[in-house]
Amino acid sequence: ENTPPREDSPPRENALPNRSSSSPPCSSPWIMLGLYCILAIMDHVIWVSFWPIVREGQVFFGVGRVAIFMLSMIYVVMFIVCAPLAGQAVDQNGLRYGILMGSFLNFLGSLIKVIPAPFSMNGITGYVFNFAGNVVGGIAHSFILIIPPTLAQNWFDSKHRVTCQAISIICYEIGVTVGILVIPKIGSS
């Protein structure tokens, strides 16, 4: 393919005449990967936030176990529905668009979830806000999870693309682990 690189990606490796195949990659791809990993970890912490505190959620919102389970499951449902659309949007608008949409929607979903807090809106009203926030977060999840192949292709030379994607996936698992270990301490307070 001889498509020109997007404005949000550095020149491809074949366009870098001073870079030999044996030289280490420049630091900026690794910085980009590090920033993406922070986003991915936070996204996964938010996704699993109700897994370890189901009983507390039932009591706080006054809903059943399945309703609390759906707060996390909606992420999976939204991913199935939205990932193909998010993929098309990233293909058409570039990596920067995908990362910004994922970040912004993650922020917006989290903001929606905390709106009831100052008003002590627990019960079903608080649950509805949390569910709506998780729907928006699920759309963000769709953008965030599809980024690694494009990040690897646009920022890394061919010898480091699989490593980039592997590190990205490891960050997903780190986010889930952190969420499961930290959330009970926050939820019990």
Side-chain angles (χ1 to χ4, degrees), residues 32 63 65:
M32 284 298 296
V63 296
R65 189 173 188 83

Side-chain angles (χ1 to χ4, degrees), residues 11 18 34-35 37 45 51 73 83 86-87 96 112 121-122 124-125 134 138 150 158 170:
N18 297 333
L35 293 171
C37 286
V45 167
W51 287 6
M73 195 62 198
R96 180 182 301 153
I112 291 169
M121 285 192 244
N122 49 354
I124 198 69
T125 305
N134 280 7
T150 307
S158 60
I170 289 169

